Amino acid sequence: MALGDHSAYCLAAEATANCVVLLSDSLGAFGTQASLRAIFDARDGKAPNLASKSDFVKIVDEAGASSPIWGVATGPAVVDWFKGWMPNQSDLKLDWAAAFKPVQALIYRIDPGDTIRVNARMDCATSQDATGLSQVFQGLRLFQQIAWQQQNPGRPNPFQNLEVQASDRRVLVDLSTPYTALQPAG
């Protein structure tokens, strides 16, 4: 669909669906149509850009753009990120806003190759929040493993090596999976 002067590739037709826009050969943005319009306005000088927010700049600097795919989210955008990109979320009875409310910042990196490695760091308000969020991820992992076995018998589970750790106010999620595990059977 057209979104301003850009072509947006959306997961659904609704305005709240996540979309991806290619801004250049090596730069893309994703989010809802409203969040992408806000990005375009900032890039065009019609609204303040993120560089005007020192806390956000610090998080971007910590992300370390050494991975070819990386990103950050803060505040309510963290909830939106998980709601938009977690598979089979409609099957879960999870209050996404409540589960991820304590997360102040999300930093993620994806290193593709024969083995795909995904790292995410979530900074929480308190260490108790980090422990609780870690438990949510452990529950999601268990749900995913059961659902995978039922829906994909005999196929390797790409989330089998998912590791979750809580350390002080941070939750670290690490996933390493062979690219072949992400390809459809046959």
Side-chain angles (χ1 to χ4, degrees), residues 39-148:
I39 290 171
F40 301 152
D41 286 348
R43 288 175 62 90
D44 293 339
K46 298 175 188 171
N49 65 35
L50 294 175
S52 66
K53 299 180 181 191
S54 61
D55 290 348
F56 190 80
V57 171
K58 181 181 176 202
I59 293 166
V60 169
D61 289 342
E62 290 175 11
S66 61
S67 296
I69 303 168
W70 63 275
V72 299
T74 58
V78 174
V79 174
D80 293 340
W81 190 86
F82 278 98
K83 283 173 55 177
W85 300 100
M86 288 288 290
N88 301 323
Q89 63 177 302
S90 59
D91 297 340
L92 297 173
K93 305 296 184 230
L94 178 64
D95 182 347
W96 292 91
F100 293 99
K101 182 179 182 180
V103 179
Q104 297 172 325
L106 162 71
I107 297 172
Y108 67 90
R109 293 182 201 81
I110 303 171
D111 291 303
D114 291 340
T115 297
I116 308 234
R117 185 170 185 128
V118 179
N119 301 103
R121 181 186 103 191
M122 286 152 281
D123 296 340
C124 297
T126 68
S127 59
Q128 292 83 5
D129 290 336
T131 299
L133 183 61
S134 174
Q135 292 169 348
V136 167
F137 271 102
Q138 294 295 352
L140 287 171
R141 181 176 188 243
L142 180 60
F143 172 82
Q144 189 279 334
Q145 288 178 341
I146 293 168
W148 185 268

Side-chain angles (χ1 to χ4, degrees), residues 151-168:
Q151 297 170 4
N152 303 286
R155 288 203 50 222
N157 184 341
F159 294 95
Q160 185 65 40
N161 297 325
L162 180 71
E163 295 180 22
V164 180
Q165 295 177 350
S167 176
D168 192 27

